[in-house]
Amino acid sequence: FFISSTAAAGRAQVQQEPSAETNEGTGININCSHPNIQTGDTIYGYRQLPGRGPAFLLGDPPGRLWVAADRRSSALWL
């Protein structure tokens, strides 16, 4: 996950496991904590495969993003 801030860059900190893997055809849930998120900050999801750069994730492959009401945590199911 990546959080884009409309104000000071780098203000929001994202805490998550450094990697996750599953077998093909099996879903996975990736949890993320961003306790310092601000009102103008935006949450983005990216996937980085071995040997490749980050690629925007939401929508391809299809997944579901859940964001807590207070926006301090989120989960992405793929």
Side-chain angles (χ1 to χ4, degrees), residues 34-49:
H34 21 84
N36 300 324
I37 195 165
Q38 301 296 311
T39 301
D41 294 344
T42 305
I43 300 169
Y44 295 98
Y46 287 83
R47 171 178 65 176
Q48 185 170 8
L49 297 173

Side-chain angles (χ1 to χ4, degrees), residues 50-65:
R52 297 190 180 180
F56 187 64
L57 185 61
L58 301 179
D60 183 26
R64 286 179 283 198
L65 176 64

Side-chain angles (χ1 to χ4, degrees), residues 3-8 11-13 34-44 67-72:
I3 296 181
S4 174
S5 177
T6 57
R11 176 181 61 200
Q13 295 180 359
H34 21 84
N36 300 324
I37 195 165
Q38 301 296 311
T39 301
D41 294 344
T42 305
I43 300 169
Y44 295 98
V67 179
D70 65 3
R71 299 175 19 103
R72 297 191 188 286

